[in-house]
Amino acid sequence: MKVRAPRTAAEAEAIQDELRPLLDLTGPGPLRPATVAGVDVAYDGDRLAAAVAVLDGTTLEVVEEVTVTGRTAFGYVPGLLAFRELPALLDALDRLTVVPELVVCDGYGLAHPRRFGLACHLGVLTGLPSIGVGKTAFVGGCAEPGPERGSWTDLTLDGDVVGRVLRTRDGVKPVYVSVGHRVDLDTACRNVLRLTPAYRLPETTRVADRLSRAALAGAG
DNA sequence: GCGACAG
DNA sequence: ATCTTGTCGC
C-alpha cells in the first residue's frame, strides 16, 4: 500500500474527497480485539521516524514493534496531516508480522473538515479497522464532559456528531475520539477506555510515541 | 478580510 | 511536532 503524493494542498484535498466514499462506517467493529496497534511519527527537521506498536488487547503487553526512518515529503498543513505521516506509517505497517485487529491513530478521523482525517485515510488504505484519538481540539464544538473517567460529550461539526470528547482519567484533560474505518463511535470509545488503565493517552500511542522518538535518536 | 488550525 | 526549569502532588 502506498499513499498518492500530492504536489499541492488542492491536490491533497481532491484525493481526500475521492477516497472519502470508500470509508466503511459500518459498526460495531472489534469490541474485544486480540491485538491493537498504535502508530506515531517523530520529527527532527526534515528527518522522521514512524513507529507501529502492536499490543495484546487484553494484557496490553507489547507483541510487536516496527520502526522506519525517512524524510518528510509534505509539510504540516492542518487538515492534510495524513499526507505528511502516512507514507512512513504505511511502510512500517507493511513490515508487521501480526495483522492488528484495530489501529489507534494519533489525531482525528471523521472529525475533519472534509470528514477524512488521518485515521480514515489509514483505514481505507490498509483496510484495517481504525480510530483516531486526538490530544487537542481541532474541528468541532463540544461541551465540557464530567470530571470522572468515562464521561463524555458529543463533538459536533455542522450539525453532525463527528466524535466524542472523552475523559479517560479523573480530573484530567479529555481526549478527542473519532472513528476512522470499520468501527462505530461507541466501540471506539470502549476501546480507548480499555487502553487507558493508568494514563490519559492509550497505551498504544504511548508505546508508539516512545518507539518513534528512540528510532529518530538512534538513526542519527 | 482576519484568525484558528490534528501532529 | 518541537523548543524547555522548576514545581506541585501522590
Side-chain angles (χ1 to χ4, degrees), chain A residues 149-171:
Chain A
R149 161 179 160 86
S151 52
W152 55 270
T153 56
D154 286 333
L155 215 208
T156 60
L157 181 60
D158 303 322
D160 301 324
V161 172
V162 293
R164 277 181 197 168
V165 180
L166 176 67
R167 189 89 63 185
T168 55
R169 305 301 307 166
D170 289 355

Side-chain angles (χ1 to χ4, degrees), chain A residues 102-117:
Chain A
L102 176 68
V103 179
V104 179
C105 300
D106 226 348
Y108 286 62
L110 244 202
H112 177 276
R114 283 168 298 286
R115 306 296 199 278
F116 201 71

